[in-house]
Amino acid sequence: MACRGICVHYKTTARYEENHKRCKICDIFIQWEGVRCPCCSFALRTKARNPRKPAAREDARFVARYA
Ligand SMILES: [Zn+2]
Ligand SMILES: [Zn+2]
């Protein structure tokens, strides 16, 4: 799992806008609709700030309890 130079074709200067994701392996922001980097196949990071995340974790616990 390493940068193969493909990511430069998807490079964007915007940060965490629509379909803009960050690959920490390639250390680059790319415009890509997939969940994994087209270059190194590492799972991409999307917008970091997500106020609904704690609620989602709460839901997961609820599901686990009643599964
Ligand atoms: Zn790359
Ligand atoms: Zn990558």
Side-chain angles (χ1 to χ4, degrees):
M1 193 183 292
C3 182
R4 291 178 288 160
I6 297 168
C7 52
V8 297
H9 298 294
Y10 301 97
K11 186 178 182 180
T12 178
T13 53
R15 294 183 187 181
Y16 297 127
E17 296 297 325
E18 190 177 354
N19 292 329
H20 291 184
K21 297 167 184 177
R22 175 161 173 79
C23 179
K24 71 173 183 177
I25 301 299
C26 303
D27 192 26
I28 195 172
F29 280 96
I30 59 172
Q31 184 164 20
W32 178 251
E33 291 185 25
V35 294
R36 289 178 179 274
C37 180
C39 177
C40 66
S41 298
F42 191 83
L44 296 166
R45 296 293 303 271
T46 51
K47 193 174 177 69
R49 275 173 286 169
N50 186 357
R52 293 189 65 86
K53 207 167 188 181
R57 222 176 286 145
E58 205 66 46
D59 289 346
R61 221 179 299 153
F62 181 85
V63 170
R65 201 185 303 147
Y66 291 97

